[in-house]
Amino acid sequence: MKALGFATPSILLLSLIATPPVWAQARLAATPPMGWNSWNLFGCSVTDAVVRTAADAMASNGMGKVGYKYVNIDDCWQGHRNEKGDIESNERFPDMKALADYVHGKGLKIGIYSSPGPKTCAGYEGSYQHEEQDAERYASWGFDYLKYDWCSARSVYKSTDMPAAYKKMGDALKATKRPIVFSLCQYGHNSVWEWGASVGGNLWRTTTDIQANYNSILALGFAEQDGLERYAGPGHWNDPDMLEVGNGKLSLDENRLHMTLWCLLAAPLLAGNDLSNMKPEILAILTNREVIAVDQDPLGVQGHRLVQEGPIDIWVKKLKDDSEAIGLFNKGESATPITVDLVAAGILGTATIRDLWVHQDLGTFSRIFTAMVPRRSAMLLKVQQSR
Ligand code: GLA
């Protein structure tokens, strides 16, 4: 090779082939994946019918139109391996290919779940020593997304083996040539954000399991995410776990706070409730276009914390059109006024402010903005500096 500052076309071509296809990864999850997952509400009682019902609902209730796309089966679909070693589904899933075809027929995509260990967290068959075979199986059934959950892998691997164990499946998925979103789930151990993308991950869990209660949302959303923003971007996202919007006894304000924070975090938006049976107010929270646009902003920047003072948190997220999304959070037990210092948020001079939850322009402000925020609630603003 000549000592030139540029490569010849054939060398360029070779190096393109040899480089990990980061561009392909980015195209696959250019913005954080959106969809539904069976685990939070259905756990191990998930069936073919539950998944079809979720797909029917997503395709017809407006969720599909605002970007929800993946209908994901979590744990408990697996049966045994047949004589060739191919994984079979259990009696609750009579025909995986037919199910995938059904979901695709609704204009949606479908996801599946496994573990790098011999067993999944619920004790079903994992992919240990069958990685390529399982990846091919998922591709042949027509799956578009795999959540890969550490679980019993701890019994066969050392924790330092994690990147290699995940890469094995990442490579196997790529080898199928089918675009399959790869979701790493190992609860944020071993600083997964530092290596998740390099093993083919499009998203990686940064937390323990979410639960449908206010304290869990606060603990996962606020305490563990700030500082991870530099690892997120198109094709590779931090995942503070699936949504609990509409589950448990969360109030509407708590649900709004949950959704506001996840959107500022550029988190995957995987609803976990019963899509065929939810109150209109819950559907409205899941499908608010202006709020979702913050999560799905094409710049792909994850927001960060600007202020934490007692029950108040203020988070900011830069958007592609040069505006800032700002979340005012009141985690406390009574309504409180929250003042944001616009200069500290990077906005000099005057700015127009819009309330995204209620689709209302609030006017033009300079230096500070103050609003009353109800208890356990949040306001999501779009702040555009005047030109
Ligand atoms: C782990 C994961 C959950 C879910 C269950 C299924 O706990 O973190 O999200 O997938 O396993 O068993």
Side-chain angles (χ1 to χ4, degrees):
M1 182 170 140
K2 280 182 262 164
L4 289 176
F6 52 87
T8 61
S10 59
I11 291 168
L12 253 182
L13 190 67
L14 273 177
S15 62
L16 268 179
I17 293 166
T19 327
V22 173
W23 49 272
Q25 214 170 325
R27 243 187 353 211
L28 198 48
T31 59
M34 291 177 67
W36 171 87
N37 174 294
S38 57
W39 183 255
N40 283 356
L41 187 66
F42 294 94
C44 272
S45 56
V46 62
T47 61
D48 175 285
V50 164
V51 175
R52 284 176 193 242
T53 305
D56 292 345
M58 197 188 283
S60 62
N61 68 6
M63 290 179 75
K65 285 205 179 67
V66 299
Y68 291 87
K69 182 161 74 176
Y70 292 97
V71 179
N72 292 350
I73 309 168
D74 206 273
D75 207 347
C76 308
W77 63 267
Q78 304 88 338
H80 297 291
R81 293 189 182 276
N82 62 23
E83 62 291 349
K84 287 186 279 166
D86 288 336
I87 185 78
E88 301 285 7
S89 49
N90 63 36
E91 62 291 348
R92 291 192 302 274
F93 289 89
D95 186 338
M96 293 302 254
K97 171 98 178 57
L99 177 56
D101 289 347
Y102 182 85
V103 172
H104 290 148
K106 300 261 154 191
L108 301 168
K109 296 195 177 289
I110 185 162
I112 200 162
Y113 167 101
S114 189
S115 170
K119 296 282 172 208
T120 68
C121 292
Y124 289 74
E125 193 69 23
S127 293
Y128 183 55
Q129 294 180 333
H130 292 275
E131 292 81 0
E132 288 83 6
Q133 198 172 9
D134 283 359
E136 276 163 28
R137 187 78 156 156
Y138 307 148
S140 74
W141 281 337
F143 279 83
D144 309 293
Y145 188 117
L146 172 68
K147 173 173 167 184
Y148 206 43
D149 195 350
W150 191 243
C151 308
S152 72
R154 61 175 73 84
S155 67
V156 290
Y157 291 117
K158 295 195 294 293
S159 110
T160 46
D161 295 333
M162 263 186 197
Y166 276 95
K167 184 167 187 302
K168 199 164 194 185
M169 183 52 94
D171 289 349
L173 292 175
K174 276 190 200 109
T176 69
K177 303 277 190 291
R178 186 176 174 85
I180 299 178
V181 171
F182 188 29
S183 158
L184 276 49
C185 177
Q186 40 75 287
Y187 338 113
H189 289 304
N190 294 20
S191 304
V192 59
W193 37 87
E194 288 173 0
W195 51 266
S198 71
V199 300
N202 296 109
L203 59 155
W204 45 82
R205 276 272 294 280
T206 55
T207 64
T208 54
D209 287 13
I210 198 165
Q211 285 159 19
N213 66 67
Y214 184 56
N215 286 337
S216 169
I217 287 157
L218 293 190
L220 301 192
F222 287 111
E224 301 181 24
Q225 306 310 309
D226 191 40
L228 299 187
E229 59 275 4
R230 70 176 187 278
Y231 301 102
H236 50 96
W237 307 100
N238 291 305
D239 172 12
D241 209 356
M242 304 169 290
L243 294 171
E244 290 284 14
V245 172
N247 282 342
K249 295 197 170 78
L250 293 169
S251 69
L252 285 182
D253 276 314
E254 290 166 349
N255 278 312
R256 233 172 261 129
L257 179 150
H258 179 19
M259 187 76 179
T260 304
L261 184 53
W262 262 237
C263 289
L264 284 163
L265 291 172
L269 297 179
L270 295 169
N273 59 326
D274 183 352
L275 302 187
S276 65
N277 180 22
M278 65 175 136
K279 294 197 183 115
E281 307 89 271
I282 296 295
L283 181 62
I285 290 173
L286 287 172
T287 56
N288 187 309
R289 278 181 189 271
E290 293 191 48
V291 171
I292 288 173
V294 170
D295 182 80
Q296 295 290 302
D297 185 74
L299 191 60
V301 168
Q302 174 176 328
H304 66 275
R305 176 185 272 130
L306 190 65
V307 171
Q308 181 179 33
E309 251 174 50
I312 293 170
D313 255 69
I314 303 179
W315 288 62
V316 293
K317 180 185 196 288
K318 183 156 215 48
L319 303 179
K320 179 126 198 252
D321 64 3
D322 252 343
S323 66
E324 302 276 347
I326 302 187
L328 309 182
F329 295 91
N330 173 11
K331 298 176 286 179
E333 299 305 323
S334 49
T336 188
I338 300 185
T339 297
V340 54
D341 176 345
L342 296 175
V343 181
I347 295 132
L348 308 171
T350 58
T352 56
I353 300 192
R354 182 170 173 81
D355 181 333
L356 299 183
W357 277 111
V358 299
H359 312 307
Q360 209 173 67
D361 290 328
L362 302 178
T364 303
F365 299 81
S366 73
R367 280 197 323 103
I368 59 164
F369 172 82
T370 302
M372 199 68 185
V373 181
R375 71 188 282 267
R376 298 186 173 201
S377 193
M379 198 167 182
L380 185 59
L381 307 170
K382 179 163 170 150
V383 183
Q384 180 93 57
Q385 190 171 315
S386 310
R387 288 170 210 283

